[in-house]
């Protein structure tokens, strides 16, 4: 019988060589990189503002992340740069302790990602339920939108029609053409209007000085003490977890689109290396970007690391060579861009009435729990962890009822036979001890386990308790029918788990 077909590996070395030998493929990769770089500029600046740092910090992060991951990542053509998810995680440390502590956080976060990659964290992604992923995406969208509110409060009235105009451009333009990214057109039009009519509105230059030189290697100026570690470690862990989760989820999406299989463990290591490099070059850290990756892979047709590398290079060239122009971009335009990003990120199907009616209530509760925790704590990692825990509890509660104890008809009145059916673990075996008639049963009891399976010590402890209760009544118990795995577990643990039953 033939083995099932598997998606082909995304062989980055061969694909790069093929692209370099083919003018057509190379042109596709170059143009894709240019389009992504142009689209990255407004988002990198906006994410810098979310993080509370100068625009140069987000722009340098996007450059170093893209260039580094092009060599170290496991998913060709995926774009990594400064992201809203990472910006939201590191914003508190930047606000409360300053830029150097943020850079130290990024470096430590990258090191944590390397450790997690070596521990096989990529394989653990299969245990994150879909409802938690949906909650993760929805909460990210909500936080991105909430981060724009300060830029819409106590501002000149002209800001509001400019935001409206920006939204209108980004909604209408894709219906006419997708040749040029709609966010870029909105930025150009609103910037041109601001300059032409000398409008007095907040602009990017008000947020901080843009770079006029290349990024350089630096060591974060923080004391190498335990106190410093206590400050940055929680945020670094959040960055590591959020970055890996978003990157691995994006890699899986690209795998599906391109019908190729990527190396998730290498991708996890690559993200760690890229964040370490980014921290030492003055960047705010980052991870895979779903939106920009879709521009690169789906809209532009890129398939190799060349497009990822060139996206970073083009970004730096545009910013350093056009810094003065970028500085006069009105904040209203960036707010409009981020509102569209938030709206497009949110999974609206997940809250559609028909979906909510069809979806099990436990799944909806897990999603809502994830969103609620993230919005309250402003920490995506905490929200995902809580969501996974809630999903585990809901699952255990649901399968706890999948086991039962039934009495089997027996001609011998001196013997009572019970059959235990189902999977037995801490949740389903918790009430097992109460399913037997200790006072009314005869002197001999047989427990048939041929249609059940013992998964943990809790079940063995429950069986010990049953035997103890019968022994107190002078009744002998014969447990039979265990499969090999269950028998081995029962032999090793029975009688060695202590009292208290």
């Amino acid at each position: 019988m033939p083995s099932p077909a598997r998606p082909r590996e995304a062989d980055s070395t061969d694909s790069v060589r093929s692209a370099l030998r083919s003018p057509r493929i190379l042109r596709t990769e170059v143009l894709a990189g240019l389009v992504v770089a142009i689209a990255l500029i407004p988002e990198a600046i906006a994410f810098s503002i979310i993080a509370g740092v100068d625009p140069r910090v987000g722009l340098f992060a996007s450059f170093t992340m893209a260039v580094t991951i092009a060599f170290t990542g496991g998913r060709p053509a995926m774009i990594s740069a400064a992201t809203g998810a990472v910006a939201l995680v590191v914003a508190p440390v930047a606000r409360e302790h300053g830029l150097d502590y943020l850079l130290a956080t990024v470096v430590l976060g990258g090191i944590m990602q390397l450790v997690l990659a070596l521990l096989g964290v990529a394989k653990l992604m299969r245990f994150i339920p879909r409802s938690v992923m949906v909650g993760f995406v929805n909460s990210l969208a909500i936080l991105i939108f909430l981060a724009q509110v300060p830029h819409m409060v106590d501002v000149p009235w002209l800001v509001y029609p400019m935001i409206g105009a920006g939204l209108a451009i980004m909604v209408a333009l894709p219906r006419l053409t997708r040749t040029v990214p709609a966010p870029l057109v909105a930025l150009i039009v609103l910037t041109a209007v601001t300059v032409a009519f000398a409008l007095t509105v907040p602009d990017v230059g008000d947020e901080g000085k843009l770079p006029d030189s290349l990024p350089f290697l630096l060591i974060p100026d923080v004391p190498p003490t335990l106190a410093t570690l206590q400050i940055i470690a929680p945020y670094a862990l959040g960055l590591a977890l959020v970055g890996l989760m978003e990157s691995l989820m994006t890699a899986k999406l690209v795998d599906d689109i391109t019908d190729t299989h990527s190396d998730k463990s290498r991708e996890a290591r690559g993200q760690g290396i890229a964040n370490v490099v980014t921290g030492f070059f003055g960047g705010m850290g980052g991870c895979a970007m779903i939106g920009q990756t879709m521009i690169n892979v789906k809209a532009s047709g890129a398939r190799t690391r060349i497009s990822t590398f060139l996206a970073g290079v083009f970004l730096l060239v545009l910013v350093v060579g056009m810094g003065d122009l970028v500085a006069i971009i009105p904040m209203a335009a960036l707010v409009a861009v981020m509102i569209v990003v938030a709206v497009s990120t949110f999974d609206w199907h997940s809250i559609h009435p028909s979906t909510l009616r069809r979806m099990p209530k436990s799944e909806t509760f897990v999603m809502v729990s994830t969103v609620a925790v993230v919005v309250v704590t402003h920490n995506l990692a905490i929200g995902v962890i809580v969501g996974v825990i809630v999903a585990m509890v809901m699952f255990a509660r649901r399968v706890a009822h999948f086991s039962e104890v039934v009495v089997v008809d027996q001609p011998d009145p001196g013997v009572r036979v019970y059959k235990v059916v189902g999977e037995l673990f801490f949740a389903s075996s918790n009430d097992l001890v109460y399913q037997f008639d200790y006072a009314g049963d005869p002197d001999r009891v047989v427990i048939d386990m041929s249609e059940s399976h013992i998964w943990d010590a809790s079940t063995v402890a429950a069986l010990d308790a049953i035997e103890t209760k019968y022994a107190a009544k002078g009744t002998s118990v014969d447990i039979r029918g265990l499969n090999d795995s269950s028998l081995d577990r029962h032999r090793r643990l029975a009688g060695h788990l202590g009292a208290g039953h």
Side-chain angles (χ1 to χ4, degrees), residues 40-57:
L40 270 175
I41 293 175
E43 292 196 5
I45 296 172
F47 292 142
S48 299
I49 294 166
I50 290 176
V53 295
D54 288 348
R56 69 169 64 199
V57 180

Side-chain angles (χ1 to χ4, degrees), residues 190-465:
L190 293 180
T191 301
V193 169
T194 301
V195 173
F197 294 95
L199 302 180
T200 304
V201 293
D203 57 30
V204 171
D206 296 332
E207 303 296 324
K209 184 174 171 39
L210 289 174
D212 53 10
S213 62
L214 299 175
F216 56 89
L217 182 65
L218 58 87
I219 305 297
D221 185 16
V222 296
T225 63
L226 180 60
T228 298
L229 183 62
Q230 290 174 333
I231 291 172
I232 67 175
Y235 300 103
L237 180 59
L239 182 152
L241 293 175
V242 167
L244 286 178
M245 283 187 288
E246 188 158 332
S247 298
L248 294 176
M249 286 190 288
T250 305
K252 177 64 170 63
L253 180 62
V254 178
D255 288 353
D256 294 340
I257 292 173
T258 61
D259 194 26
T260 57
H261 177 70
S262 59
D263 187 339
K264 305 298 190 303
S265 295
R266 178 178 174 180
E267 181 61 37
R269 294 193 301 271
Q271 290 292 327
I273 295 170
N275 272 305
V276 171
V277 171
T278 296
F280 282 126
F281 277 88
M284 58 179 271
C287 62
M289 298 187 73
I290 296 177
Q292 304 306 327
T293 298
M294 291 303 99
I295 292 175
N296 195 46
V297 174
K298 205 167 186 180
S300 303
R303 291 293 183 270
T304 78
R305 299 174 185 273
I306 295 175
S307 58
T308 305
F309 174 77
L310 290 179
V313 173
F314 284 144
L315 171 66
L316 188 64
V317 171
L318 291 170
V319 170
V320 173
M322 302 172 61
D324 292 339
L325 179 60
V326 173
I328 61 175
I329 295 175
M331 285 301 302
L334 290 176
V335 170
V337 170
M338 296 314 298
I339 290 175
V340 170
V341 170
V343 171
S344 60
T345 299
F346 196 92
D347 185 353
W348 296 100
H349 177 73
S350 66
I351 62 171
H352 193 278
S354 62
T355 302
L356 295 176
R357 285 194 301 269
R358 190 178 300 110
M359 192 69 64
K361 290 183 173 57
S362 59
E363 299 282 325
T364 302
F365 182 72
V366 170
M367 181 194 71
V368 172
S369 299
T370 304
V371 172
V373 172
V374 171
V375 172
V376 170
T377 64
H378 281 227
N379 190 312
L380 289 157
I382 293 176
V384 170
I385 291 171
V386 170
V388 170
I389 292 173
V390 172
M392 290 170 59
V393 172
M394 290 298 205
F395 176 76
R397 181 174 179 270
R398 191 162 58 246
V399 300
H401 306 292
F402 286 176
S403 63
E404 61 177 337
V405 178
V406 295
V407 178
V408 180
D409 290 336
Q410 180 69 20
D412 186 351
V415 179
R416 174 65 62 86
V417 179
Y418 291 94
K419 179 183 283 290
V420 181
V421 180
E423 305 299 313
L424 301 175
F425 65 110
F426 64 90
S428 61
S429 65
N430 190 48
D431 295 329
L432 191 64
V433 70
Y434 304 114
Q435 306 301 312
F436 298 84
D437 184 6
Y438 303 102
D441 282 345
D443 293 339
R444 184 167 175 242
V445 169
V446 175
I447 302 178
D448 182 3
M449 306 282 290
S450 59
E451 295 186 21
S452 63
H453 186 98
I454 297 175
W455 287 103
D456 61 5
S458 296
T459 303
V460 177
L463 293 174
D464 282 353

Side-chain angles (χ1 to χ4, degrees), residues 18-163:
S18 299
L20 292 176
R21 288 195 296 263
S22 169
R24 180 184 61 81
I25 297 177
L26 184 59
R27 182 174 63 252
T28 298
E29 298 293 320
V30 172
L31 292 178
L34 178 60
V35 171
V36 169
I38 293 173
L40 270 175
I41 293 175
E43 292 196 5
I45 296 172
F47 292 142
S48 299
I49 294 166
I50 290 176
V53 295
D54 288 348
R56 69 169 64 199
V57 180
L59 292 166
F60 284 169
S62 295
F63 162 68
T64 53
M65 287 293 299
V67 170
T68 305
I69 206 69
F71 294 97
T72 64
R75 175 61 262 179
M78 189 167 75
I79 303 297
S80 290
T83 63
V86 169
L88 290 165
V89 171
V90 301
V93 72
R95 181 174 61 251
E96 298 170 14
H97 303 283
L99 178 61
D100 283 301
Y101 278 84
L102 181 148
L103 299 181
T105 300
V106 173
V107 172
L108 181 59
I111 294 172
M112 288 182 175
Q113 287 179 324
L114 284 169
V115 172
L116 291 171
L118 294 175
L119 293 175
V121 69
K123 297 178 181 177
L124 297 179
M125 288 300 296
R126 70 186 71 178
F127 296 109
I128 297 181
R130 179 186 177 279
S131 51
V132 174
M133 292 186 179
V134 173
F136 169 84
V137 171
N138 289 348
S139 57
L140 173 60
I142 293 171
L143 290 185
I144 290 175
F145 177 80
L146 292 177
Q148 309 313 309
V149 174
H151 300 292
M152 295 185 285
V153 177
D154 295 329
V155 293
W157 69 268
L158 285 172
V159 168
Y160 303 110
M162 291 182 70
I163 292 175

